[in-house]
Amino acid sequence: MNEDSQITRREFVAGTATASAAVATGFPNALPAAPNEKLAIDGGTRAVTEAVPAWNRWGEPEAERLDDLIGQSSLFYWKGPQTTAFIERFRRHCPATHVQTCSSGTAALHIAVAAAGIGPGDEVITSPITDIGTVIGVLFQQAVPVFADVEPDTHNLDPADVARKITPRTKAIIAVHLAGNPCDMSRLRELADRHKLVLIEDAAQAWGAQCQGKPLGTFGDIVCFSMMNSKHISTGDGGVVASSHEKFGPLLQRFGDKGTDRVDRSPLQWLASNYRMSEAQAAIGAAQLDRLAGIVSQRNRLGRLFTAGISGLPGVIPHREREADRSSCWFYMFRIDPKKFRCDRAQLVKAMKAERVGAIAGYIRRPLYAEKMFQEHSFFAGQWPVRDSGQTKTDYRKVNCPVAEFTLETGIRLRLTENMTEEYVRQLALGVSKVIRHYAA
Ligand SMILES: Cc1ncc(COP(=O)(O)O)c(C=O)c1O
């Protein structure tokens, strides 16, 4: 563990009493939360005294870049000054040889799988706990998403189950860094190398995260980011795909821009969409990238403080950040052990909300394979050509990832943003602690 994460629950509680300990933990006040303290839902005092801090995200830097933009004669991305500035700043966080801006994280992932040569009937292993954007490109390539189970505390792909899901048809793994928390990339890399698979990183939620002290994209062959509205940094909508791979990297631009490379006049070789990002988005994005380091270090710190605040509570499994990694904490999801409580998760969440903790039950409603279009294999106007033509026998009605299902049934999620103070997060932990102890069996 690195220095910042050396905060135990004991320190957290002790730090409440003395100023010196408060400096060590970063938590200035006490953590009273007696087990029998009256809950806000029962008329007691709310644990969180302030409203959710405003999430101010734009300002002078964005305005300055937009001012520059107005003087441009073209807002087209190709060699545009804003896109050039964006890519230069992006490389400070992710030093890849080839960087392609695009219209969304979904587009970035489609470009990645297409550039990796994924085609009809190829299997791509990924997590069932993710945004549908992770697999949209896989499906459009007429390839087959294969879902592997997740780890119970990081909520990320379990490399052991990935290994079990590899078949002679497997071509790639998409490692989703859920909530900004890096996957076990050394084990996934080792598996990918052993089976000659392409390793793609879905870092849509993981701007600024680090794996073993290295930026995301170091372990994978291709890395993809999203800049849709709620991400750490945003262009409203947008994405980036990057790679230093000698074969896939040079293809990113083509697959983001209708199959052309805008330089040579070679014939169109593959079907590719128009996923371009405009200069206006790149202008905002370049300014946003200047903010990224500060955003990520504050979110990571708040996430670790929150972990310290809830560690050791009965029936609570904190969101585990792997040693030497740095989560960029897009959200924080702890799990509960339902057997340890006198009430269900809905009641816990309701009571937390009454304490003014912005708790939400779970993440996506169901694992991806349980969605209707998977259950009915009805992706393309009610059909799924690769299955109908016998290129795959995949039957999503038979897929079962028990840990993923349990995670979605028992997770409680919170939003931690960089605008929050340590005191505010201390109060969030206090609110959770009060409710958990009250309802503990
Ligand atoms: C893990 C993950 N992958 C892919 C995507 C798709 O990104 P976008 O919404 O920009 O298309 C998202 C977006 O929320 C995401 O969270």
Side-chain angles (χ1 to χ4, degrees):
M1 258 193 203
N2 67 30
E3 209 180 303
D4 279 357
S5 58
Q6 298 280 350
I7 305 163
T8 63
R9 178 161 175 80
R10 191 156 7 116
E11 279 174 327
F12 179 88
V13 176
T16 59
T18 67
S20 59
V23 171
T25 61
F27 281 80
N29 298 318
L31 179 71
N36 55 359
E37 192 183 346
K38 195 169 182 185
L39 296 186
I41 202 169
D42 297 327
T45 311
R46 288 163 153 181
V48 182
T49 55
E50 310 156 41
V52 188
W55 192 22
N56 303 318
R57 312 176 66 193
W58 336 105
E60 209 43 47
E62 285 77 14
E64 275 173 22
R65 293 218 76 90
L66 288 175
D67 269 355
D68 286 353
L69 182 85
I70 297 301
Q72 291 179 210
S73 57
S74 162
L75 301 186
F76 191 59
Y77 89 104
W78 182 243
K79 297 195 187 298
Q82 306 301 333
T83 304
T84 305
F86 179 99
I87 291 173
E88 184 257 317
R89 282 163 174 75
F90 175 86
R91 284 202 174 105
R92 293 181 200 160
H93 297 280
C94 178
T97 320
H98 301 271
V99 179
Q100 181 69 17
T101 55
C102 56
S103 54
S104 68
T106 305
L109 281 143
H110 191 181
I111 294 168
V113 288
I118 307 296
D122 291 341
E123 294 179 359
V124 178
I125 301 177
T126 194
S127 167
I129 304 187
T130 184
D131 182 86
I132 185 67
T134 303
V135 296
I136 284 175
V138 176
L139 288 162
F140 271 113
Q141 291 303 111
Q142 301 300 331
V144 180
V146 171
F147 296 101
D149 215 341
V150 299
E151 300 170 327
D153 47 9
T154 66
H155 322 313
N156 283 332
L157 272 181
D158 174 358
D161 201 45
V162 172
R164 284 190 282 274
K165 300 279 160 70
I166 293 173
T167 74
R169 285 174 169 261
T170 309
K171 283 281 168 57
I173 301 169
I174 301 182
V176 180
H177 304 297
L178 194 76
N181 192 27
C183 294
D184 188 343
M185 290 308 287
S186 17
R187 283 177 71 200
L188 292 176
R189 181 72 262 172
E190 192 268 320
L191 270 179
D193 288 345
R194 186 150 27 107
H195 296 274
K196 300 197 171 16
L197 310 177
V198 183
L199 182 56
I200 296 170
E201 295 184 54
D202 179 346
Q205 303 182 358
W207 280 100
Q210 286 187 357
C211 189
Q212 294 170 29
K214 297 182 183 129
L216 297 186
T218 308
F219 288 83
D221 299 305
I222 311 178
V223 62
C224 305
F225 294 89
S226 163
M227 299 187 87
M228 61 80 71
N229 193 49
S230 65
K231 297 301 190 295
H232 303 76
I233 55 170
S234 178
T235 49
D237 259 316
V240 195
V241 52
S243 175
S244 297
H245 193 282
E246 57 184 23
K247 185 166 159 216
F248 311 140
L251 298 177
L252 299 182
Q253 198 260 327
R254 282 178 188 260
F255 279 104
D257 192 0
K258 299 191 287 191
T260 67
D261 78 354
R262 298 207 166 264
V263 178
D264 73 12
R265 289 171 169 266
S266 56
L268 294 175
Q269 203 178 338
W270 312 278
L271 185 65
S273 194
N274 171 1
Y275 284 142
R276 298 185 302 246
M277 174 193 270
S278 81
E279 275 278 275
Q281 287 166 295
I284 301 277
Q288 289 274 287
L289 278 162
D290 282 340
R291 298 176 186 268
L292 183 61
I295 291 172
V296 170
S297 74
Q298 175 68 352
R299 283 191 183 221
N300 176 261
R301 173 154 184 78
L302 296 180
R304 288 176 182 182
L305 289 172
F306 188 77
T307 295
I310 63 165
S311 295
L313 286 173
V316 167
I317 302 105
H319 202 156
R320 182 165 72 93
E321 185 185 32
R322 197 166 264 104
E323 209 167 304
D325 285 357
R326 179 175 77 170
S327 169
S328 56
C329 224
W330 188 55
F331 60 75
Y332 187 107
M333 185 158 75
F334 61 92
R335 282 205 310 105
I336 53 154
D337 177 351
K339 295 190 296 296
K340 303 268 171 64
F341 294 95
R342 296 182 285 111
C343 67
D344 62 9
R345 178 179 66 170
Q347 178 63 22
L348 290 174
V349 167
K350 203 168 154 197
M352 285 174 197
K353 281 190 172 144
E355 300 292 341
R356 251 188 180 157
V357 174
I360 305 165
Y363 168 48
I364 52 173
R365 256 167 283 172
R366 52 191 73 85
L368 285 190
Y369 57 78
E371 289 291 349
K372 195 168 155 68
M373 68 174 166
F374 286 93
Q375 291 294 301
E376 297 184 357
H377 307 102
S378 58
F379 305 107
F380 298 93
Q383 300 175 43
W384 191 22
V386 277
R387 191 165 187 264
D388 300 343
S389 63
Q391 289 182 82
T392 182
K393 291 191 170 31
T394 301
D395 184 343
Y396 290 110
R397 291 166 303 189
K398 293 186 180 150
V399 176
N400 169 255
C401 296
V403 182
E405 292 182 16
F406 194 62
T407 299
L408 293 173
E409 284 159 19
T410 60
I412 298 183
R413 180 165 54 100
L414 269 86
R415 204 92 212 273
L416 297 178
T417 64
E418 61 282 1
N419 296 49
M420 292 175 179
T421 61
E422 291 176 5
E423 168 57 17
Y424 182 78
V425 171
R426 184 193 75 82
Q427 291 185 10
L428 291 180
L430 180 63
V432 169
S433 162
K434 216 177 132 183
V435 169
I436 292 288
R437 295 209 225 172
H438 179 87
Y439 287 110

